[in-house]
C-alpha cells in the first residue's frame, strides 16, 4: 500500500446481541490516510482495539448506528480509557438523536474524569413523515466524506458510507518536457484548470493531466430489514459490509426482527455493483459462518463471512498511462 494512502478496515466484532466466546459484538475501525474511525462500539471494543493494535489516539470520530446495546455498550469504557491515556483532542460522535440522553447520563456521572471534549452530532431521518428519505453528508475532511444512510430497523438506525475524496490531478511527465511547463502552469493543471499561454496556445487539462487513482469507498450497513432503495444508495461502493444475522431459512424471523438474511445482503451487493461483500452480525445460533458465506455466494460470489480480527484493504486502482 502506498505510504499515507492506506484505506483499511479492521473488524473488532462480528457477532450480534448475545455474546459468544469467539465473537465480540459489533465494531469496525476504518483507517483512511492515517486517521481512524470507529463504527459502532459493542461491549469489549476497547479490548479488541488493544488486541489488534489500534491506537486510541488515532480515533478521529465515532459513528453509532443505533442505541441497541450490542452496538453501544462499549462506548463508555472506551471514553474513560481515552481519558486515562491522556487524550486532549476533541472527539466527534455521530448517532441518532436518542444517543444524546445516553451520552448526557454518562457525562453527568463520569464527565469530570474526561480530559477532552465530546462533541455529539445528532442525526435525524430527513423526512417529515419519518419515512426513509435519502443519505446525507455529515462529515467532510481533506481525505474523506461520510454520509449517513437511514436504515429500516424499527428504531432510528443509520448506516454510514465513507467516500475517499478525488485525488489531486497529476501532470504527464511527457507533457512537462514537451511544453516546458512552468511551476505555475503545473499547479494550474493539477487543479484541473486549463492553461492558456501568452501567445494564445491552449493547454487543456483534460489532455495533459489525469487522476492518479480512483477514489475508494466503504459502506457499513448495520441492522436493517431489506428495503428497495438500499442498492441504489450504495451504488458503486467498493467494500460493503452488510449485516446478515440470519440464514435464508429464517427469513420470516429476520423480517419480524427487522434484520437481513444472507441472500438479501448478497442481493444488495449484486444490485449495487459492489466489489466485495462482508457479512456479519451473526446470530448466536450460527455455529458455522461458512454456511452463511456459501448461501450468499450463490448470488454474490465475492462474499466473505467475517471473523474478529480480520483486515481488508482496498487497493489503489492506479491509472495506467500509455
Amino acid at each position: 500500500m502506498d505510504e499515507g494512502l492506506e484505506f483499511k478496515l479492521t473488524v473488532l466484532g462480528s457477532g450480534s446481541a448475545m455474546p459468544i466466546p469467539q465473537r465480540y459484538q459489533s465494531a469496525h475501525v476504518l483507517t483512511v490516510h492515517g486517521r481512524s474511525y470507529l463504527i459502532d462500539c459493542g461491549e469489549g471494543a476497547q479490548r479488541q482495539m488493544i488486541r489488534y493494535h489500534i491506537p486510541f489516539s488515532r480515533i478521529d470520530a465515532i459513528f453509532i448506528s443505533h442505541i441497541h446495546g450490542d452496538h453501544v455498550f462499549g462506548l463508555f469504557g472506551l471514553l474513560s480509557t481515552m481519558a486515562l491515556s491522556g487524550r486532549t483532542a476533541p472527539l466527534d460522535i455521530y448517532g441518532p438523536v436518542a444517543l444524546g440522553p445516553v451520552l448526557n447520563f454518562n457525562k453527568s456521572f463520569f464527565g469530570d474524569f474526561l480530559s477532552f471534549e465530546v462533541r455529539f452530532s445528532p442525526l435525524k431521518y430527513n423526512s417529515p413523515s419519518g419515512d426513509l428519505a435519502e443519505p446525507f453528508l455529515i462529515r467532510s475532511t481533506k481525505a474523506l466524506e461520510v454520509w449517513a444512510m437511514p436504515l429500516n430497523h424499527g428504531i432510528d438506525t443509520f448506516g454510514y458510507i465513507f467516500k475517499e475524496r478525488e485525488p489531486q490531478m497529476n501532470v504527464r511527465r511527457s507533457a512537462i518536457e514537451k511544453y516546458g511547463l512552468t511551476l505555475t502552469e503545473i499547479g494550474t493543471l493539477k487543479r484541473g484548470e486549463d492553461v492558456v499561454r501568452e501567445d494564445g496556445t491552449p493547454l487543456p487539462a483534460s489532455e495533459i493531466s489525469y487522476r492518479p487513482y480512483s477514489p475508494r469507498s466503504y459502506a457499513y450497513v448495520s441492522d436493517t430489514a431489506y428495503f428497495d432503495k438500499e442498492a441504489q444508495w450504495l451504488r458503486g461502493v467498493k467494500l460493503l459490509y452488510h449485516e446478515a444475522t440470519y440464514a435464508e431459512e429464517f427469513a420470516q424471523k429476520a423480517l419480524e426482527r427487522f434484520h437481513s438474511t444472507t441472500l438479501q445482503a448478497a442481493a444488495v451487493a449484486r444490485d449495487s455493483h459492489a466489489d466485495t461483500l462482508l457479512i456479519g452480525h451473526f446470530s448466536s445460533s450460527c455455529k458455522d459462518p461458512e454456511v452463511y458465506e456459501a448461501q450468499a455466494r450463490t448470488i454474490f460470489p465475492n462474499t466473505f463471512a467475517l471473523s474478529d480480527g480480520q483486515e481488508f484493504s482496498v487497493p489503489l486502482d492506479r491509472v495506467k498511462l500509455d
Side-chain angles (χ1 to χ4, degrees):
M1 180 64 66
D2 295 49
E3 186 69 26
L5 293 178
E6 185 177 39
F7 197 104
K8 181 181 73 175
L9 179 71
T10 303
V11 180
L12 303 182
S14 56
S16 59
M18 287 291 291
I20 57 176
Q22 64 270 34
R23 292 186 188 277
Y24 279 70
Q25 296 172 332
S26 294
H28 289 188
V29 170
L30 182 70
T31 300
V32 179
H33 297 201
R35 305 307 302 175
S36 295
Y37 306 90
L38 176 64
I39 309 126
D40 273 343
C41 193
E43 184 178 353
Q46 64 172 323
R47 176 66 183 85
Q48 293 291 79
M49 290 174 67
I50 296 169
R51 182 178 183 183
Y52 299 121
H53 310 292
I54 307 292
F56 297 126
S57 60
R58 281 198 179 179
I59 300 297
D60 263 16
I62 298 175
F63 300 86
I64 300 298
S65 62
H66 61 297
I67 61 165
H68 284 163
D70 53 326
H71 297 260
V72 76
F73 279 162
L75 181 58
F76 309 117
L78 174 61
L79 294 177
S80 176
T81 301
M82 283 180 166
L84 292 172
S85 300
R87 184 186 181 107
T88 57
L91 177 66
D92 294 318
I93 299 179
Y94 300 83
V97 172
L99 181 61
V102 180
L103 289 172
N104 288 336
F105 173 83
N106 181 71
K107 181 179 179 180
S108 68
F109 282 92
F110 306 109
D112 291 344
F113 298 98
L114 294 185
S115 55
F116 56 92
E117 179 186 4
V118 174
R119 302 186 299 206
F120 175 53
S121 295
L123 307 179
K124 300 178 181 179
Y125 281 15
N126 52 358
S127 168
S129 67
D131 295 334
L132 300 183
E134 299 290 333
F136 52 98
L137 182 66
I138 59 172
R139 186 179 180 88
S140 182
T141 70
K142 182 178 179 181
L144 195 67
E145 287 185 350
V146 186
W147 294 70
M149 169 181 167
L151 300 179
N152 181 21
H153 190 48
I155 64 171
D156 283 9
T157 304
F158 294 90
Y160 296 101
I161 308 170
F162 298 79
K163 299 180 180 181
E164 188 177 32
R165 284 190 174 277
E166 290 273 357
Q168 186 182 56
M169 305 286 275
N170 280 353
V171 178
R172 297 173 184 267
R173 291 184 180 179
S174 59
I176 295 175
E177 297 172 359
K178 178 180 178 180
Y179 298 109
L181 297 175
T182 67
L183 291 177
T184 299
E185 289 173 334
I186 291 172
T188 300
L189 292 164
K190 281 189 171 185
R191 295 193 298 271
E193 301 170 8
D194 295 340
V195 168
V196 179
R197 291 185 149 170
E198 290 184 2
D199 64 1
T201 302
L203 300 177
S206 59
E207 297 178 9
I208 295 175
S209 56
Y210 64 96
R211 293 287 180 194
Y213 60 88
S214 300
R216 294 162 291 181
S217 54
Y218 164 70
Y220 178 89
V221 180
S222 177
D223 302 15
T224 187
Y226 176 84
F227 59 97
D228 290 341
K229 290 186 176 180
E230 272 195 89
Q232 173 190 333
W233 291 350
L234 295 165
R235 181 77 60 184
V237 69
K238 297 294 184 182
L239 183 64
L240 169 62
Y241 165 75
H242 196 294
E243 72 111 316
T245 307
Y246 295 104
E248 189 59 29
E249 53 266 34
F250 299 106
Q252 184 58 38
K253 182 181 288 188
L255 179 64
E256 293 169 357
R257 299 184 179 182
F258 293 92
H259 280 293
S260 296
T261 68
T262 51
L263 296 191
Q264 288 170 337
V268 171
R270 176 198 63 200
D271 296 343
S272 64
H273 304 288
D275 284 1
T276 301
L277 171 64
L278 311 177
I279 55 174
H281 197 262
F282 300 125
S283 166
S284 58
S285 63
C286 172
K287 306 304 181 186
D288 185 5
E290 291 185 0
V291 173
Y292 284 50
E293 183 177 276
Q295 283 189 357
R297 285 185 173 184
T298 62
I299 290 179
F300 192 80
N302 200 31
T303 298
F304 299 91
L306 292 183
S307 297
D308 294 4
Q310 284 183 301
E311 294 183 347
F312 296 86
S313 291
V314 182
L316 285 174
D317 182 14
R318 286 201 172 275
V319 172
K320 293 180 175 61
L321 299 178
D322 296 333

